[in-house]
């Protein structure tokens, strides 16, 4: 059933109207007072609509179906469910049901004094990312690594084989159609699957069943890409600990005008090392654009090097490593990526309350939308309706980064903006 919801538009008043895309160089400015003092309005680009408000759980990923259904996920801590569907302006419900979100043996267990996430293949443990392919399948990426509380401090247990998985859900029947698990040689105990993309064309793999590209953004271990052959279920890694996938050490971003340091209970002041995070295919599936979060650099690689399975080709890893391209700086740290039918690569820019576009024709980063409500845009998804949808979760203010004090304020948000130049969902990779 298609969800219905109210969409509100945020108004800043006549002096602070937003520019129409493309953004002019001085479109972020207005004037104030009798002396016409120039001010930064904090806005540019197309209008930003408020689609949904979160009052219970802070959102991470989202996906929008052909019929407009919106699905969201939440990093599991004490939440009752980790995958939900938006059912009204201010409410979500467990999806596909509460049973799938309730592992009978719990979220974690202890083995020889070491805590591991659940190895349950048939229930969701902690869902990090979602994606809807053009065939209207909802793909669910489960890290198998929930956040738990031990002796007053939070921690993320190691993954146990079976817990980390990729699950396909048929949105017509609302039932699970396929589950892919990963061997310990591909998904390590300290891996953390962060995002995913798909190429379902029959020529993408020898098996003809398409391929999934998964980001491993592990802060503790080996960053890189994980690929799954969707026909055979075989999986492999590429760009393991390649410099392009790793965080810049001692990076100090500024969020909303304040320099940010990591302040965790029981630890000295530090830095937030976020490795490989954003990833997006070009519209033809031939190039993957990607970057770590805590870096200002954007990289790309032809996907044929990622699709090459090192189990079958002893030089596959070297070819991949040798063919990474540094596309230069893009103007700040970037979080999640998305893409559209025109090949625009959208990069969520938490330092700037903005979303930028990488234009592969001009090889430049271009402004798309900026708004004061964009307080940590975490995940984005282009819909079939000509809008890009993105979640807002105020992540820098979470207690684990602020000496245990939760400085966030509900509600979290789903926002959306109209895509430029008539762009829509890319449907070429079928």
């Amino acid at each position: 059933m298609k969800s219905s919801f109210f969409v509100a538009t945020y108004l800043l008043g006549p002096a602070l109207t937003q520019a129409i895309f493309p953004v002019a160089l001085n479109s972020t400015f207005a004037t104030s007072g009798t002396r016409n003092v120039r001010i930064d309005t904090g806005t540019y680009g197309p209008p930003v609509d408020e689609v949904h408000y979160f009052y219970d759980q802070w959102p991470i990923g989202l996906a929008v179906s052909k019929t407009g259904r919106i699905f969201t996920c939440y990093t599991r801590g004490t939440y009752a469910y980790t995958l939900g569907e938006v059912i009204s302006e201010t409410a979500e419900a467990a999806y596909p049901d509460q049973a799938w979100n309730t592992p009978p043996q719990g979220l974690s267990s202890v083995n020889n004094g070491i805590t591991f996430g659940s190895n349950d293949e048939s229930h969701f443990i902690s869902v990090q990312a979602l994606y809807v392919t053009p065939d209207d399948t909802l793909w669910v990426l489960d890290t198998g690594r929930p956040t738990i509380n031990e002796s007053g401090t939070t921690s993320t247990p190691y993954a146990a084989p079976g817990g980390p998985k990729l699950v396909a859900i048929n949105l017509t029947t609302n039932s699970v159609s396929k589950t892919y698990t990963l061997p310990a040689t591909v998904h390590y105990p300290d891996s953390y699957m962060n995002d995913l993309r798909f190429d379902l064309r029959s020529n993408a793999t020898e098996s003809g069943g398409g391929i999934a590209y998964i980001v491993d953004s592990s802060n503790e271990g080996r960053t890189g890409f994980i690929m799954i052959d969707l026909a055979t279920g075989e999986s492999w890694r590429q760009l393991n600990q390649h410099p392009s996938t790793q965080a810049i050490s001692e990076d100090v971003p500024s969020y909303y005008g304040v320099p940010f340091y990591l302040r965790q209970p029981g630890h000295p002041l530090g830095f937030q090392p976020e490795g490989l995070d954003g990833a997006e295919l070009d519209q033809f599936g031939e190039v993957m654009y990607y970057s770590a979060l805590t870096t200002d650099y954007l990289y790309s690689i032809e996907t044929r090097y990622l699709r090459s399975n090192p189990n079958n080709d002893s030089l596959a890893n070297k070819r991949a490593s040798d063919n990474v391209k540094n596309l230069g700086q893009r103007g700040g740290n970037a979080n999640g990526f998305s893409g559209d039918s025109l090949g625009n690569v959208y990069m969520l820019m938490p330092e700037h309350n903005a979303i930028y576009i990488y234009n592969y024709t001009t090889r430049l980063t271009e402004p798309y939308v900026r708004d004061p409500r964009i307080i940590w845009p975490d995940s984005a998804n282009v819909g079939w309706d000509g809008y890009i949808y993105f979640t807002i979760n105020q992540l820098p203010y979470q207690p684990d980064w602020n000496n245990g004090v939760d400085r966030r304020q509900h509600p979290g948000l789903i926002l959306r903006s109209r895509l430029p130049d008539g762009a829509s969902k890319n449907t070429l990779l079928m």
Side-chain angles (χ1 to χ4, degrees):
M1 180 182 70
K2 180 178 179 180
S3 299
S4 60
F5 50 82
F6 173 77
V7 176
T9 302
Y10 180 71
L11 298 177
L12 291 173
L16 306 180
T17 54
Q18 294 175 306
I20 299 173
F21 189 90
V23 176
L25 184 62
N26 64 349
S27 63
T28 189
F29 295 121
T31 55
S32 174
T34 57
R35 298 290 184 178
N36 291 325
V37 174
R38 177 175 262 192
I39 62 171
D40 178 2
T41 68
T43 66
Y44 59 62
V48 176
D49 301 330
E50 295 174 2
V51 175
H52 183 72
Y53 305 89
F54 295 91
Y55 286 97
D56 298 314
Q57 306 187 141
W58 290 101
I60 297 292
L62 87 162
V64 182
S65 77
K66 280 184 178 180
T67 58
R69 297 169 68 181
I70 298 178
F71 302 91
T72 62
C73 60
Y74 324 85
T75 302
R76 177 94 80 166
T78 58
Y79 296 154
Y81 56 91
T82 185
L83 173 60
E85 180 176 5
V86 169
I87 58 173
S88 74
E89 182 186 19
T90 59
E92 315 94 55
Y95 185 82
D97 51 38
Q98 187 62 53
W100 252 95
N101 284 268
T102 310
Q105 304 303 316
L107 299 178
S108 62
S109 61
V110 178
N111 187 2
N112 293 325
I114 301 174
T115 305
F116 290 88
S118 170
N119 64 354
D120 192 332
E121 300 179 10
S122 302
H123 295 84
F124 293 130
I125 311 303
S126 184
V127 175
Q128 174 70 21
L130 306 172
Y131 198 84
V132 174
T133 43
D135 60 351
D136 223 24
T137 296
L138 174 65
W139 295 87
V140 182
L141 190 64
D142 188 346
T143 68
R145 302 185 66 189
T147 299
I148 61 174
N149 190 293
E150 296 178 311
S151 303
T153 61
T154 58
S155 63
T156 302
Y158 291 118
K165 53 190 171 287
L166 176 63
V167 178
I169 299 179
N170 183 317
L171 291 181
T172 301
T173 62
N174 296 310
S175 60
V176 172
S177 57
K178 186 76 173 179
T179 299
Y180 300 86
T181 58
L182 301 159
T185 53
V186 173
H187 187 287
Y188 309 127
D190 54 6
S191 287
Y192 196 91
M193 299 188 294
N194 195 311
D195 211 343
L196 71 168
R197 293 295 181 266
F198 293 87
D199 187 345
L200 301 182
R201 295 174 299 165
S202 60
N203 64 350
T205 59
E206 290 185 7
S207 65
I211 190 169
Y213 301 93
I214 298 172
V215 167
D216 184 347
S217 65
S218 174
N219 287 342
E220 311 123 290
R222 289 157 281 191
T223 51
F225 282 95
I226 295 172
M227 275 58 64
I228 301 177
D229 185 315
L230 298 176
T232 67
E234 186 176 9
S235 56
W236 61 93
R237 297 180 67 95
Q238 285 289 6
L239 298 184
N240 225 29
Q241 290 186 296
H242 189 276
S244 65
T245 70
Q246 296 190 325
I248 299 298
S249 62
E250 300 185 358
D251 180 70
V252 182
S254 289
Y255 299 134
Y256 326 113
V258 179
F260 179 82
Y261 296 90
L262 186 64
R263 294 175 168 88
Q264 292 183 300
H267 296 276
L269 183 142
F271 307 90
Q272 179 57 33
E274 290 283 347
L276 180 60
D277 194 303
E280 185 56 67
L281 295 166
D282 76 335
Q283 74 266 49
F284 305 113
E286 302 304 321
V287 177
M288 178 71 77
Y289 298 96
Y290 66 94
S291 76
L293 195 161
T294 50
T295 180
D296 291 352
Y297 285 89
L298 178 66
Y299 297 89
S300 70
I301 186 171
E302 292 179 52
T303 52
R304 60 190 173 114
Y305 298 111
L306 298 179
R307 295 195 301 264
S308 183
N309 187 339
N311 298 322
N312 306 324
D313 180 355
S314 61
L315 292 177
N317 293 132
K318 186 176 189 316
R319 289 194 190 96
S321 181
D322 290 347
N323 282 279
V324 169
K325 295 181 180 179
N326 185 335
L327 302 179
Q329 293 195 12
R330 45 131 181 261
N333 289 182
N335 197 6
F337 288 12
S338 193
D340 65 22
S341 59
L342 300 181
N344 293 313
V345 177
Y346 299 88
M347 300 178 291
L348 308 185
M349 308 295 292
E351 289 185 280
H352 304 298
N353 307 79
I355 300 176
Y356 292 172
I357 288 175
Y358 177 71
N359 185 319
Y360 72 90
T361 301
T362 64
R363 300 180 67 84
L364 297 176
T365 300
E366 300 174 352
Y368 165 59
V369 66
R370 182 173 178 237
D371 188 281
R373 290 165 295 173
I374 302 179
I375 304 175
W376 195 277
D378 201 289
S379 181
N381 181 260
V382 166
W384 276 265
D385 57 359
Y387 284 87
I388 183 171
Y389 293 75
F390 46 102
T391 55
I392 303 298
N393 63 16
Q394 304 174 36
L395 194 68
Y397 300 99
Q398 65 173 314
D400 196 40
W401 290 6
N402 291 279
N403 282 328
V405 179
D406 193 347
R407 301 183 184 279
R408 297 169 296 184
Q409 178 178 310
H410 284 105
L413 296 170
I414 296 176
L415 304 176
R416 73 173 190 179
S417 287
R418 174 71 70 177
L419 298 171
D421 305 319
S424 64
K425 182 85 168 183
N426 182 27
T427 58
L428 296 179
L429 303 183
M430 280 290 292

